[in-house]
Amino acid sequence: MDPSIINYLEELCDFRREVHLSFTSEAGTPVSLHTKILRVEPEGEEPFLKTDEGITIPLRRLQRVNGRPMRPLA
């Protein structure tokens, strides 16, 4: 996994605090939640983040972190 992804996420939020995430669900509907990011890991070829609520979000679906846009993954 490209370390710049984690660096960019660290610019957008503090992993030790609760963050506001906006992303699209698998069905294509917008989802917003307040949660803590536990870790960012690859799953196969795709990076994802895991929240303290047990939610796994593929980074390609992540749209905003704390109201700031998530840049597209290369």
Side-chain angles (χ1 to χ4, degrees):
M1 177 172 42
D2 183 355
S4 68
I5 295 168
I6 293 175
N7 292 339
Y8 185 66
L9 276 171
E10 287 174 343
E11 287 177 27
L12 297 178
C13 67
D14 180 349
F15 284 0
R16 297 168 296 183
R17 296 178 171 239
E18 196 167 274
V19 298
H20 181 235
L21 301 176
S22 298
F23 60 98
T24 53
S25 70
E26 287 186 23
T29 56
V31 177
S32 285
L33 70 117
H34 282 86
T35 189
K36 276 185 154 180
I37 297 172
L38 295 180
R39 63 185 176 271
V40 180
E41 297 181 351
E43 181 175 285
E45 296 292 316
E46 181 173 22
F48 71 95
L49 60 85
K50 190 81 151 180
T51 71
D52 65 340
E53 296 163 349
I55 299 171
T56 301
I57 304 168
L59 288 186
R60 67 180 163 75
R61 295 186 184 275
L62 194 58
Q63 294 176 336
R64 299 181 89 69
V65 177
N66 287 336
R68 295 172 57 195
M70 183 66 185
R71 69 176 181 210
L73 300 177

